[in-house]
Amino acid sequence: MTIEPVLRVRNLAIAVPGDRHPVDAVCGVDLDVAKGETLAIVGESGCGKSLTALALAGLLPDGVRISGGTVEILGHDVAGKSEHAWRALRGDRISMIFQDPMSALNPVLTIGDQIVEAIRAHRPIGKREVFSEGVELLHRVKLQTPHEYMAAYPHQLSGGMRQRVLIAMAIANRPDILIADEPTTALDATVQADILSLLDELKRETGMALVLITHDLSLVSRWADRIMVMYAGKAVEARKAKSLLGEASHPYTRALLAARPQRRPDTGQRPRLAEIRGRVPSPQEKGDGCSFANRCDFVMSRCRAISPQAVHVSDGRVWCHAVDEQQARHSGALA
Amino acid sequence: MGARIAQMVPTLFLLLLAAFTLLHLAPGDAAQVLAGESGGGDTTYLANLRSRFGLDQPIYVQFMLYARNVLSGDLGFSFRNNMNVVDLIGARLLPTLLLTGSAMAVAVAFGMTAGALAAAHAGKWQDRLISGIALLIYATPGFLLGIGLMILFGVTLPWLPIGGFVASQGIDSGFEYALSVAKHLVLPVVTLGALYAAIYTRFTRGAMLEIYVQDHVRTARAKGLAASRIILRHVMRNASLPLITVIGLQAGSLLSGAILVETVFAWPGLGRLAFEAVQQRDYNLLAGLVLTTGTLVVLINLCVDLLYAVLDPRVTLR
Amino acid sequence: MSNPRTSILKLRRRTFLAGAAASLVLAGRSFADAPVRGGTVVALAHPGEPNVLTSAVVQTGQVQSVSSKIFDGLITFGDNFEIKPELATKWTTSEDGKELRFDLRPGVRWHDGTPFTSADVKFTFESVWMKIHPRARATFAAVDVVETPDPLTVVFKLRNPSGVILGALNGLESTILPKHLYENTDIQTNPYNIKPVGTGPFRFKEWVRGDRIVLERNPDYWDAGKPYLDQVIYRVIPDATARYAAFESGAVQYGTLTPISLSDLGLAQKSDTLDVDFHGYEWLASAIVADFNVRRPPFNDVRVRRAVAHAIDLKAFVRVTTRGLAKPGTSPVLSTQTKFYAGEGLPEYTFDRAVADQLLDEAGYPKKPDGTRFATTIDWLPFGETFQRFAEFARQAFKAVGIEATIRNQDLPQFFRRVYSENDFDFTISHRAGLGDPQIGIDRVIWSKAILKDIPWSNGSGYSSPEMDKLIEAAHVAPNEDKRVELYKQIQVLAQRDIPTFTLAENKQFTVSSKKLRGLGTGSISVYDSLKDAWLEA
Amino acid sequence: MTTDSERDELPTDISIRVPNIVLRIFRSWRKFPLSLHIGLLILLFQLAVALLANTLYPQDPFELVGMPFMAPGEDPLFPLGTDILGRDIAAGVVHGSRVSLLVGFAATLIATIVGTTIGLVSGYFGGWVDHALMRLTELFQVIPHFLFAIILVSIMGADLSNIILAIGLTSWSMVARLARAETLALRELDFVKISVVMGGGHLRAILTHVLPNALPPVIVSASILTALAVLTEAGLAFFGMSDSNHVSWGSMIGASRDALLTAPYMTLIPGAAIVVAVMGFSLIGDGLGQILRRGHRI
């Protein structure tokens, strides 16, 4: 990779409280995101993608902690940093927006208050200036009559508008990295595209790195540069978007792609990925083998016994015994 | 708003009817009590008293007369006390409001602070300690707490007066009067306030923990705000909304608590008056008191609604 | 047990001295036993806040306590019921005993400045006592007419001689109201009932409901130079512990009518700063009594009543429930009423469960296999927790002879209703005030004509005996006091034999006061002392 | 969100959800919050004491067995001392646990039944029924409860059943509001409507669908009500309103409180029993509340 990544994660593990002792809900995750690049992390609910995203912003809930690996932001490892150190980074160098804009704003404060405090948390500037900067931010996220929005309360805004406000707050201090955790899931289909194109536009303008967390592969197809598919807390396939969509190697990725739903014509909503049989195992249930073994159509005896190692494929890596074997055979044939 | 007030009218009417009927169902009457306390009497004496108290009328006539008077702002005459009920209640209203109002203020201040501290240290020893103390206070019968405080601070360490509203003597100026009332107020307020402080501590802690995990707090953290700002502006402020509702709901129980506290500390308030009115079957007085306390509770709830509307932009008053 | 006591005592002394020094404004130097002018006494309004301030209208203890400072009577009592002049300087009974003449004290003025005259007495007699007083119609039944030959003379004309009238004309039982403020008004709702105008040593200043009643020195009091105190302030303290704490801390200096709980009495008696006085209750003296409902089984049978009397260990009763303060009862007439008390010759009921068992067997209530004979109820007079203890003691005594008793708890109105209106009870634990004269105190519970529906303290037992009625009615018209005394001795014997009402104990009440408060009255009625001689030591 | 997904699952078969909760509770005993563990432990201890009262102290606790005013430890025969009349305080506390717990449970049962019924009917039927019942509920909310209880006991007389009734009848309004709020939310759900359309009738719908789902928050409030009932009983006893035929912690305090200065132990020992009991019930309420909230999140 030619450009030094602004976000570099190695071997990340996240522990959650278990029955008796903590268990790793995420493990062995590697990430590199460069300036101006969009990385998508894709997976079903419970696959650990949101935990990963929260870990990147130091926002893991109480009791959940990074149990291994490194998270480097602009070259500094922040994995074990204090809350105080995180506070200086958050909202400044690394920002985050969340799934549900309906609940992500404080209902009893005005939009203006909430934007202004985002700016002032990192830059001590005067009242008037900060206000006009807030107005400017709202303008940039394409809210008409930003002055009025400054005085409005969240409940007076639609979901899409609120997500724009949240984006405005997230980019207030020109962050290097923006993590968007399912930014459009809770929104109408028509609004989804607007928000994503807004994010894309802002990314281009500011050159920030964008990490897009989603369960929706079809979204990714258009906006992401690279994609990492996660399953049961582990990466199963990480490749450039084009090659992943074109020639996905992991049976899970293929199943996801095959199950990629069409939008329901009436509501425009996408059903969840219900077509893959079975369900994601919980962290406690994970055994030694491949986590996907139970649901995999190509399962082999090895799959249940040994966790697969990364296999390098074109534009990325895959974690699958089948691919490994295939490749081995292929390379064997070459040799 | 007007609708809400209109809605309370039938409630208050029911209240009046209930108080009146219940007392008349009670065996024994005011005249007999007075005769008994006076050391006896003869038939003429009792008949005289009864007709004076209006007890010889049919019950519905008594009620009609009463309801008509109430509508014209007259709560009747307490024959037992030789005074108009309005005057009698008027004289005792201020002490009760002073007591319950101060207790409420103290309870809210302490409860919110302690609750916030406990929530901020959830699961740690600070939380355990605060929650433990709150639970202990909550579980202690109010009169035991009151008598305990009285013995400690009024007798063993004679720092505070043991009861009453104001010192019997040595009051020469308005300032001294106020100071003396304030001194007399301390123990009753602490006794009554402690229970509610405990309740609000537990409630604030719970509400704050609930709000801590809400999305907008995560947003605030994502902005990189300082912890103190998050707690005060994003957690505490939002947690105060359900707390206000609870405070409104407990207005009635606060007046209940006042009965015990006023008895222990000889505080000349409505609660004690109510207890005496029950014991003496002073119907007019008791009905007036039930009506007054009920109206107070209704008014407090109305204020709470108003306050809520001010604090929560999502709520508009109908 | 001793630790808290000593610690409280030690601290209290300091407190009191400090409090007294700060609060008492003393005029001039004090001498050992010479009264000192000035100062304020804080007294306890007990057992609760009065509802009016004149005992002409209401005769409860709390009213009389305050009223006695404001109102004088025609006469008052010294020791042993010795009758002493007050507003009347002199009284004479005619030869035939049918005329009682009083010379009134000249120069006495009501607190509003109006002179006190015989017209006030006549008016009060006719319009107040005979109209709204609970007992006056009985007490003054013999009075034909009251005449006022001149402003300073009152004459009671009687139909027949009556020994009960003179004593009843004390300021508590027969409070005199000012005619000019009460004439042509509704006596019971007259506004002066709560801002009284009397002739006594103290006059009304203010009443803050629920908090205090302030009386101030009457500078024009007829007994020149008195009273010594500037103010008497009555305060209400409903809780027993708080009351004792108030004495301890010096916040209160005077309380009558057993102002603290019996449990705290020991503390007060050992205190360096408090006096406990059992005197002054002779007129008021009361008994703890058990009334049987003789209308219905099982207590319609005198053997069952006597069995109960044998089953209760009165010595243990007074020791346990009154901490030894009361005295086992022997007669419906209290032994303190020495003139009337029969003493020797009264039927005695010694504590003996065997006798009780035997009587119950005879009465047809044998022990059943489960050891019980019959079930009954105990209703107790809700005058504080002590009566509940009496009832609980009685229940255990009953149980020992096989009577299963259920205690019924109720408040005062319910108790009166049950006992005196509905007569729906078996056995009550109650009290009975002696009221100075058996004709007032005792007749009402054993005379068949006193079986009055609804009237508290009347003959609730429903006891009716022609023999008893004859004795009582003879006593009412006894030609002389000796004959009357003799008849009342016979009445006691008969009452004790038939035992419709069982006198468990002679109650003992007491006054608690600060040792600094001197000059308290000592007469038979000094529980309601006017405090005109009281003064505060420096 | 998670709650949505839970709702989505509801229509399939709601009736097995409650047993599920019960099962889940028993299965996850180890995962109970600490408060619930302590609370249940206290309750179990008290129940054990109450059940063993007759074995531990076979004699009538009212029997005057010793000298009055014996301090704890003064006589080994009476480890907690004797009261004003010379009754064994230890026997009183042990026997008193029966009545105090009975008052707590029975009053709560009354309040819960009355409150739930009114809340369910009010929320389910709506309209004028709701309006009328809510006015009634407001009435009971507006009168200070303790004053109301005092009035009721004064009227009916201070025997045990009346005390229970008075406490129960004055404390149901909170339950009614809770039950109504839950019912309002549930009423709109399809499965309830379907049940009625299928001919199940309203009563059946209420009993099989609405009640089980409205119950969990009611159970939490019930444990708080029990704590309050024990305290109210003590408060009434302070005003002399207790039943002398049944020893309870409240009645012990009522009987001894005027000896507080001379013999504080007489009041403090039953007082401590009340404090422990109330703490126990509050902790149970806290713990159940936590489980309930957790249940909504998982």
Side-chain angles (χ1 to χ4, degrees), chain B residues 171-185:
Chain B
I171 303 291
D172 294 324
S173 66
F175 174 73
E176 278 175 353
Y177 185 87
L179 191 71
S180 177
V181 171
K183 274 188 185 169
H184 283 77
L185 195 58

Side-chain angles (χ1 to χ4, degrees), chain C residues 1 239-241 244 261 263-264 267 320-321 323 385 388-389 392-393 395-396 399 406-407 409 411 414, chain D residues 60 62-64 69 84-85 87 154-158 238 242-245 254-255 257-262:
Chain C
M1 203 157 106
D239 182 70
T241 306
Y244 186 74
S261 77
S263 309
D264 294 335
L267 296 181
V320 171
T321 61
R323 312 212 69 198
E385 290 84 12
Q388 186 173 356
R389 280 169 213 149
E392 286 172 2
F393 187 97
R395 175 185 53 200
Q396 302 309 126
K399 200 178 166 191
T406 305
I407 295 177
N409 297 351
D411 66 5
Q414 275 182 311
Chain D
D60 181 355
F62 282 114
E63 208 57 63
L64 316 179
F69 285 90
I84 283 186
L85 293 185
R87 297 176 291 212
S154 293
I155 290 170
M156 302 186 295
F238 177 78
S242 60
D243 188 339
S244 329
N245 300 295
R257 70 183 183 85
D258 68 5
L260 197 60
L261 286 170
T262 328

Side-chain angles (χ1 to χ4, degrees), chain B residues 103-141:
Chain B
M104 179 65 80
V106 167
V108 169
F110 268 90
M112 283 189 79
T113 314
L117 274 175
H121 298 99
K124 304 201 187 100
W125 66 266
Q126 294 97 325
D127 177 29
R128 293 264 149 89
L129 183 71
I130 292 173
S131 301
I133 292 174
L135 185 62
L136 190 66
I137 291 176
Y138 176 79
T140 306

Side-chain angles (χ1 to χ4, degrees), chain C residues 64-79:
Chain C
Q64 291 182 321
S65 295
V66 182
S67 177
S68 55
K69 318 292 174 280
I70 301 168
F71 292 92
D72 290 323
L74 286 181
I75 59 103
T76 187
F77 290 110
D79 291 333

Side-chain angles (χ1 to χ4, degrees), chain D residues 22 26 31-32 34 41 48 61 64 80 150 166 175 179 185 188 201 205 237 243 245 298:
Chain D
V22 176
F26 278 105
K31 282 197 285 184
F32 279 3
L34 181 68
L41 225 61
L64 316 179
L80 297 182
I150 286 179
V175 184
E188 294 311 313
D243 188 339
N245 300 295
I298 289 168

Side-chain angles (χ1 to χ4, degrees), chain B residues 193-211:
Chain B
L195 169 68
Y196 292 91
I199 294 175
Y200 300 155
T201 300
R202 282 151 59 98
F203 190 85
T204 305
R205 179 184 177 275
M208 285 187 65
L209 286 181
E210 223 154 79
I211 287 166

